[in-house]
Amino acid sequence: MQLHRHPLLSPAPGTQRELVSLHYGKPGGQKAYIQASLHGDELPGMLVAHHLRQQLDALEAAGHITGEIVLVPMANPIGLSQFLLHAHLGRFELMSGENFNRHYPDQIAAVAAAVEPLLGADPAANVALLRRALKAAVQASPVDTELQSQRRALMGLSCDADIVLDLHCDAQAVMHLYTETPCWPDCEPLARFLGSRLTLLAQDSGDNPFDEACSQVWWKWKAHFGERFPIPQACLSVTVELRGATDVTHELAAADARNIVDFLRWRGLIAGDKPALPEPQGDARPLAGSMPIKSPVAGVLTFLKAVGEDVKAGDVLAHVIDPITAQVTELTSPVDGLFFARDFLRFANAGMRVAKVAGKQALRTGKLLGA
Ligand SMILES: [Zn+2]
C-alpha cells in the first residue's frame, strides 16, 4: 500500500490541512475509489474505512488485489475540525456556508472539445482518452479557497475510476443508496451485496454532488457525441448511506467492509472465486418520489413509526406537540412507500423536514436533494 498526501490550500499562515489517500494494487486495470465522511460529522463511513483498510492490507499481503483500489479514509479534514459551541458541524463549510457535497467542478464541455479529434470507433480507447483528459483538466483547474482545493483533490483522485463509493449516513435510517439512473444496472449488484433497502435514482439532481460529478461525465459525453463515437457509462458512482449517524459499531462496519470487498471481488478487482449474488433486500425508486415530511408547526417531535416500515398514504408517522397549548399535530405520509429516514432531533421548527418516505412514483420536480 502506498500512502499519498495531498496538501490543501492553506487558509492562513501556520495552518495546513491535507488529504491522505491509501493506494492498493496497481494502475492499468479496473480502478475503485472509496471515500469516507465527505460530510465530516457522518462517522459510519470512517469506521467502515478502518475495517476495509485492514481487509485490504491482508488481501494485498496475500497478493490478491488485481485491480487498483484507492481509499480515502477521511475525505473532509475541513469539516472534521469544525466545532461550534461543542456541536460538530461537518456538512457545511463555516466560511462559505456551502455544502461539502455540492458544487463539484464540471469539465465536460472543455474535455469534449479537447479530445474530439482523437476519438474513434473503439469504446475502450475513447474511455482511456477521456479519462486522461478529464484528470488533466481537473488537476489544472484553478482554485481560490481551501474548500475548492479539497474538491479538486477529491475529484483528481476519483474522476478516472470505474467504481466510486462515497460513504455517508443519514440521521436515523436504513441502508440506502443514491446513484444516477444510467448507473442502475451496475449498481444493482452493489445494492444486493450491501443489503440496501432502497436505491434512489435521479439524473442531474442539482448542484453537482460528488457522486454525480463522477458519473455524469459519461452519459453527458454519450449525449454530446451521439452516433459519432461510442461512449459507455464507464463509471458506477454511488452515495452509500450507511444507516444513521450513531450506527457506528464494529459489527456493522466490519460487515459493510466485507460486503464491499465481496462486491469488488465480484467485479474482478480482487482475486478469488466470484461470490454468489445475494438476494435483493430492496428495490430502486425515483429520487423524485422520495417525499420529505415537513412539520407545519413547531413543537416536540415524537415518531410513531420506525425507519424500515412500509407505510400507506395517510398513515401517521409522527406527532408534533405544542407544550403550551397541548395541541397535537399529526404528520402523515403523502404516499404509499418505505419510511426510510428520519431526523434525530426531537424538536421541530415550523417548516422543518423531519423524515422521508420513498414512494414509487416521481412526484417532485426541480432540485431534488435537500440542503
Ligand atoms: Zn452526507
Side-chain angles (χ1 to χ4, degrees), residues 39 42 91 101 168-169 241:
H39 289 137
E42 298 177 1
R91 186 174 185 82
N101 190 21
H168 288 247
C169 69
E241 300 282 350

Side-chain angles (χ1 to χ4, degrees), residues 35-67:
Q35 69 178 24
S37 304
L38 179 56
H39 289 137
D41 51 1
E42 298 177 1
L43 281 304
M46 238 182 271
L47 190 60
V48 169
H50 172 71
H51 283 273
L52 195 52
R53 178 183 191 155
Q54 294 171 35
Q55 295 181 29
L56 292 174
D57 285 344
L59 287 164
E60 186 166 70
H64 288 173
I65 297 183
T66 50

Side-chain angles (χ1 to χ4, degrees), residues 82-89 94:
Q82 288 186 161
F83 283 79
L84 186 67
L85 303 175
H86 298 281
H88 195 183
L89 302 177
L94 290 179

